Amino acid sequence: YESNPDSINKTQKNIELVDQREPGVVLSDGRIIDGNRRYTCLRRLSSKSDRFNYFEAVILDRNIESDAKQIKMLELSIQHGEESKVDYNAVDRLVGIYHDIIETNLLTIGEYARSTNETESEVKTRIEVAKLMVEFLEFINAPLQFHIARDLQLYYPIEELYKLTKKCHTEDEIEDLKNAVFTNILLQPSTDMTRFVRNIKSIVGSDYQNEFFEEQTEIAAKVIESLPESAEITSSTIREVIRTNNELVGELERSMEKSLTKVKKNETRNRPIQLVEKATTFLESVDTNIIFKMNDSELRRFERQLEKLENVVASIRENL
């Protein structure tokens, strides 16, 4: 309950209103493979009414006494292997991948992919996103506090960060990028952090990347210094203490806005060059052999267009 109270309270209210609508899955010895949340809700509700004193479930008559891997693969196939299974927190999936593949080595990438009906490439991507989530929690002095990751709805901003790392050319750039994004996620200068992180894409690889990273690193150092002890880091602390530091939030906003403005101005200045380069590419692709096959009408039309083109080029040259 402590790890995900919102989801359990929501499920509990639904069960109290319409009873348990979907059965769980248990092994013959009573171990729950699917439906732990529903079972928890029924136990909490049983004190109110006898009608909640039982748990509807499918009992699998399978002898799985000590094979943790087989049990886990069965659990994954039930929870994630069907297209209809969409009500599962994205952060919880990352936690599961981190625990089953990275932390305990219980499953290989191939075994996890087969159990969840995913490709190995998709699982590898989730693994990298899970690693970034763990790094973020370490960054904010809350290692492995996955309930904080869930409360802060980290999945999509962290997923955008993973995509951004592909634009970096060195490990140092990746570290600078992670520090910048982690700091912004923690202080939340925007209500839509997924879009906010995505906007950094235009800065990464630009002439202003280093300047942006330097500013963000300085702000990150201030943020890290202001963090409380590990035991004091909670979702409430982040929302009510850290994110109310208007001075640091303002610095992040100004740094981001300044860099984005410079990038946009640079794009505007380079737009004429890009258009001319594109026009040159089109002209170079003209097959002159086709000209000899044109009739008189087509040739006159072609010549008129060339004259227009020459006039446009001459007009541009006058402004150089």
Side-chain angles (χ1 to χ4, degrees):
Y1 176 78
E2 295 297 332
S3 66
N4 198 357
D6 291 339
S7 295
I8 288 181
N9 287 333
K10 180 180 178 182
T11 301
Q12 181 172 320
K13 289 178 181 178
N14 181 262
I15 291 176
E16 189 172 16
L17 181 66
V18 298
D19 292 331
Q20 181 187 349
R21 304 294 294 272
E22 186 177 349
V25 179
V26 301
L27 297 179
S28 57
D29 62 4
R31 282 176 291 178
I32 299 174
I33 298 299
D34 182 49
N36 279 290
R37 186 193 302 173
R38 279 160 278 164
Y39 180 73
T40 299
C41 294
L42 287 165
R43 287 189 62 185
R44 287 163 57 83
L45 287 168
S46 63
S47 61
K48 296 183 178 181
S49 172
D50 290 343
R51 82 177 212 260
F52 301 114
N53 281 346
Y54 63 92
F55 176 52
E56 290 188 12
V58 175
I59 300 176
L60 299 181
D61 187 16
R62 297 180 63 174
N63 183 20
I64 310 178
E65 294 183 359
S66 59
D67 193 338
K69 176 180 289 191
Q70 191 176 358
I71 293 173
K72 174 54 68 173
M73 292 178 70
L74 177 60
E75 178 183 341
L76 289 172
S77 66
I78 292 172
Q79 293 179 344
H80 304 304
E82 303 172 23
E83 292 183 4
S84 60
K85 293 287 185 180
V86 295
D87 184 24
Y88 202 82
N89 188 280
V91 170
D92 287 338
R93 296 200 67 176
L94 294 185
V95 174
I97 281 182
Y98 180 79
H99 178 74
D100 296 333
I101 299 179
I102 302 172
E103 194 172 37
T104 65
N105 293 314
L106 179 63
L107 301 178
T108 65
I109 292 174
E111 288 169 339
Y112 191 98
R114 288 193 299 274
S115 299
T116 57
N117 196 26
E118 294 178 289
T119 66
E120 290 193 14
S121 177
E122 289 172 328
V123 175
K124 288 177 181 177
T125 296
R126 289 185 188 276
I127 288 173
E128 295 305 316
V129 177
K131 289 179 179 177
L132 287 173
M133 177 184 67
V134 171
E135 284 190 56
F136 171 79
L137 293 174
E138 292 172 350
F139 177 85
I140 68 171
N141 205 21
L144 302 182
Q145 299 297 306
F146 295 121
H147 62 279
I148 293 179
R150 185 189 301 109
D151 291 344
L152 299 184
Q153 299 180 343
L154 282 186
Y155 181 82
Y156 293 107
I158 293 292
E159 184 183 48
E160 287 299 324
L161 168 58
Y162 169 70
K163 295 175 184 177
L164 282 177
T165 60
K166 300 299 183 181
K167 292 193 66 178
C168 297
H169 298 95
T170 67
E171 288 299 321
D172 287 342
E173 287 183 355
I174 292 176
E175 288 304 312
D176 288 339
L177 173 63
K178 287 192 293 188
N179 286 335
V181 173
F182 288 166
T183 304
N184 279 278
I185 290 176
L186 177 60
L187 267 70
Q188 196 184 35
S190 170
T191 55
D192 187 348
M193 285 308 300
T194 302
R195 185 181 296 275
F196 187 90
V197 175
R198 192 179 299 145
N199 285 338
I200 299 177
K201 180 179 180 180
S202 60
I203 300 174
V204 177
S206 73
D207 294 337
Y208 309 104
Q209 171 184 287
N210 292 338
E211 178 185 341
F212 174 73
F213 283 159
E214 287 175 5
E215 290 180 351
Q216 293 283 315
T217 299
E218 291 179 4
I219 301 171
K222 297 178 185 178
V223 172
I224 292 172
E225 289 178 2
S226 69
L227 290 176
E229 295 297 323
S230 177
E232 300 176 11
I233 292 288
T234 65
S235 300
S236 297
T237 303
I238 291 172
R239 292 192 178 96
E240 298 169 11
V241 179
I242 298 173
R243 288 182 174 176
T244 55
N245 190 327
N246 295 327
E247 182 178 348
L248 290 177
V249 172
E251 285 188 48
L252 284 176
E253 289 177 329
R254 289 190 293 274
S255 173
M256 182 75 162
E257 290 172 1
K258 182 174 67 175
S259 295
L260 286 175
T261 299
K262 289 181 178 180
V263 169
K264 288 177 181 178
K265 286 183 178 179
N266 192 56
E267 289 175 350
T268 301
R269 286 197 302 269
N270 290 328
R271 184 62 176 164
I273 299 173
Q274 294 169 354
L275 290 174
V276 170
E277 288 174 344
K278 186 179 293 187
T280 302
T281 300
F282 284 138
L283 288 172
E284 288 175 344
S285 66
V286 173
D287 185 356
T288 55
N289 292 321
I290 298 178
I291 298 175
F292 300 105
K293 299 179 182 180
M294 292 181 180
N295 57 37
D296 290 344
S297 174
E298 291 169 338
L299 283 171
R300 286 194 295 272
R301 181 183 172 190
F302 184 66
E303 189 173 6
R304 286 197 298 270
Q305 290 302 318
L306 284 177
E307 289 176 358
K308 281 186 178 181
L309 180 60
E310 289 169 352
N311 290 335
V312 171
V313 172
S315 176
I316 293 174
R317 284 190 177 281
E318 289 178 2
N319 289 283
L320 291 178

